[in-house]
Amino acid sequence: MALKLPIYLDHAATTPCDPRVVEAMLPYFTEKFGNPGSRSHRFGWEAEEATDKAREQVARLIGADPKEIIFTSGATESNNLAIRGAAYMYERNPAGSGKSRGHIISAVHEHKAVLDPCKRLVKEGFEVTFLEPGRDGIITAEMVKGALREDTILVTVMWANNEIGTINEVREIGAVVREHRAATGGDTLFHTDATQWVGKMPTDVEKDNIDLLSMSGHKIYGPKGVGALYVRRRKPRVRLVSLLDGGGQERGFRSGTLNVPGIVGLGAAAEICLNEMERDGERLLKLRRYLEERITSELDVVAINGHPERRLPHLTNISFGFVEGESLMMAVKEVACSSGSACTSASLEPSYVLKALGVGDELAHSSLRLSMGRWTTQEQVEYAADRIIANVKKLRELSPLYDMYKEGIDLSKVEWAHH
């Protein structure tokens, strides 16, 4: 059978909806179309039962109580509700007092859906410390410990990076935050944007010391436009200021008529991930290693970005020296991949994530993010490796800099004439 082109290797951007998820959703568009808020008839009861079941399915995936799951429109909304909702609830000094409203800790290479709410809070009188990772891309518990202050309200550190797949010390960071809370008698909380992690790797909010966790349906073979926020109910009981006012749905945290078909899909996707995660992870790790070994054994001047081992099984980010990233992406049109996160790939700036790791502009510009998924085959990965290797070689034939490098000239010492 001929290989169907193009090949999709951008699962970190979004995943196709699993047919089993679509099947679970369909009745809730036409037959079971009730509003869960309608308490006086069967249509409303059916819809409420469906959302309750989905709440249980999502809770099981992350080791939470169903009452701790708040449905949202996706991880961006979950992040905003967690970060801004916690900041406003636990602020130390009121706005306009001239004093800091409180302190937040995050990292420079978080997703924009965390960075931008943090930057908004800075404008509103909060202080934010943005931690800088080492070359391996990892934020450690020690870094967080060193940045904690008595007025720290929130630590928000992603579980796994969306561009390079490196895994932060989330469980250890959570433990540090707990110790700090106990020592100061304060209410410092720990939030993690787990969008790339949940559904791919085992999650237990209790053992992992998490107070708030964001996730999105479309990263786990569910529909777009639906996500969830885990909000801890005990030890401590987390409270948030809601960002949407209205009918008081979702325990008052998030008003608005529930997206029942989307929520049913998110629940079904969560259940499938729970059952198939281990098998999927092992298979995808083999495919990722094969892809990386093929590329690094057949090409020189390539670098795999992030930590060599502490990474998600399905995602790799590779920089190709002496090749321009956009040219390479155009050259391998048959392989759908990206040169950064899907949310920032319209920008021609080199990836801010790679720059945070200390990768130079040239290499940052020449990187590809390749992410595999549930239906990626060995044959597809072999084809992608062939195309990437062939086109890197072809583009380098056009590069005088690569010729100079091959001749042993130290390019950092070359003085270029300016006209």
Side-chain angles (χ1 to χ4, degrees), residues 20-58:
R20 294 167 288 181
V21 169
V22 177
E23 197 181 333
M25 291 168 69
L26 284 174
Y28 294 91
F29 287 105
T30 51
E31 302 151 40
K32 304 179 180 184
F33 54 83
N35 183 333
S38 303
R39 298 283 162 82
S40 56
H41 51 68
R42 188 168 65 85
F43 294 91
W45 303 331
E46 273 178 346
E48 190 177 24
E49 273 170 31
T51 55
D52 286 348
K53 181 187 174 186
R55 221 180 284 283
E56 284 166 17
Q57 290 168 314
V58 172

Side-chain angles (χ1 to χ4, degrees), residues 69-97:
I69 302 301
I70 305 300
F71 290 121
T72 66
S73 63
T76 294
E77 188 192 336
S78 297
N79 286 337
N80 272 269
L81 177 54
I83 295 165
R84 291 167 57 205
Y88 302 147
M89 176 57 76
Y90 298 101
E91 67 179 347
R92 299 297 193 260
N93 296 295
S97 66

Side-chain angles (χ1 to χ4, degrees), residues 55-361:
R55 221 180 284 283
E56 284 166 17
Q57 290 168 314
V58 172
R60 264 199 303 277
L61 180 62
I62 63 170
D65 181 309
K67 293 190 184 80
E68 297 174 309
I69 302 301
I70 305 300
F71 290 121
T72 66
S73 63
T76 294
E77 188 192 336
S78 297
N79 286 337
N80 272 269
L81 177 54
I83 295 165
R84 291 167 57 205
Y88 302 147
M89 176 57 76
Y90 298 101
E91 67 179 347
R92 299 297 193 260
N93 296 295
S97 66
K99 296 177 186 168
S100 165
R101 292 175 71 183
H103 177 239
I104 292 157
I105 297 170
S106 191
V108 293
H109 62 330
E110 289 284 316
H111 192 281
K112 294 280 189 193
V114 165
L115 292 177
D116 286 354
C118 285
K119 287 172 184 170
R120 173 191 280 257
L121 289 172
V122 170
K123 286 182 187 158
E124 293 175 4
F126 293 86
E127 290 178 77
V128 181
T129 299
F130 291 104
L131 301 172
E132 297 187 9
R135 188 69 191 235
D136 61 8
I138 292 172
I139 297 296
T140 66
E142 278 304 304
M143 291 175 188
V144 171
K145 198 172 188 174
L148 280 165
R149 304 188 332 205
E150 207 164 308
D151 65 339
T152 303
I153 295 167
L154 180 73
V155 175
T156 174
V157 173
M158 65 176 14
W159 208 324
N161 190 278
N162 50 296
E163 285 194 33
I164 52 176
T166 47
I167 299 164
N168 290 319
E169 292 183 358
V170 162
R171 183 178 288 194
E172 297 83 352
I173 291 168
V176 161
V177 172
R178 281 198 171 175
E179 283 161 24
H180 178 78
R181 197 157 58 215
T184 59
D187 37 33
T188 311
L189 299 175
F190 177 43
H191 165 252
T192 186
D193 174 358
T195 311
Q196 294 290 347
W197 173 274
V198 165
K200 278 87 167 185
M201 304 290 274
T203 308
D204 185 325
V205 287
E206 286 301 328
K207 288 181 186 157
D208 296 320
N209 307 308
I210 292 161
D211 301 313
L212 293 153
L213 176 147
S214 303
M215 59 176 286
S216 212
H218 75 106
K219 305 288 189 184
I220 60 168
Y221 309 92
K224 293 172 181 64
V226 66
L229 176 66
Y230 157 76
V231 182
R232 178 176 284 283
R233 291 187 86 211
R234 290 176 58 254
K235 298 182 182 173
R237 184 182 182 86
V238 175
R239 293 170 304 144
L240 301 171
V241 171
S242 70
L243 304 182
L244 291 174
D245 299 318
Q249 289 91 340
E250 297 302 275
R251 291 176 34 220
F253 286 125
R254 201 271 185 187
S255 289
T257 301
L258 294 181
N259 167 13
V260 180
I263 287 165
V264 167
L266 175 61
E271 187 163 302
I272 293 165
C273 282
L274 191 60
N275 296 332
E276 300 181 7
M277 183 194 311
E278 198 176 333
R279 191 178 68 220
D280 278 353
E282 285 169 9
R283 192 181 70 82
L284 291 169
L285 183 58
K286 282 180 190 152
L287 289 180
R288 190 199 84 199
R289 283 184 173 152
Y290 168 82
L291 180 64
E292 289 173 345
E293 280 160 18
R294 275 287 313 277
I295 288 171
T296 53
S297 65
E298 295 189 40
L299 293 172
D300 59 354
V301 208
V302 293
I304 294 167
N305 295 306
H307 194 278
E309 289 305 320
R310 204 183 156 96
R311 276 185 295 143
L312 291 171
H314 67 291
L315 189 159
T316 187
N317 185 306
I318 307 177
S319 292
F320 301 86
F322 307 105
V323 172
E324 211 275 314
E326 298 296 319
S327 310
L328 181 55
M329 278 182 68
M330 292 304 290
V332 293
K333 287 193 295 287
E334 314 90 334
V335 181
C337 59
S338 78
S339 57
S341 95
C343 310
T344 54
S345 55
S347 134
L348 288 173
E349 284 292 298
S351 156
Y352 70 91
V353 171
L354 295 181
K355 287 184 80 171
L357 271 58
V359 176
D361 277 11

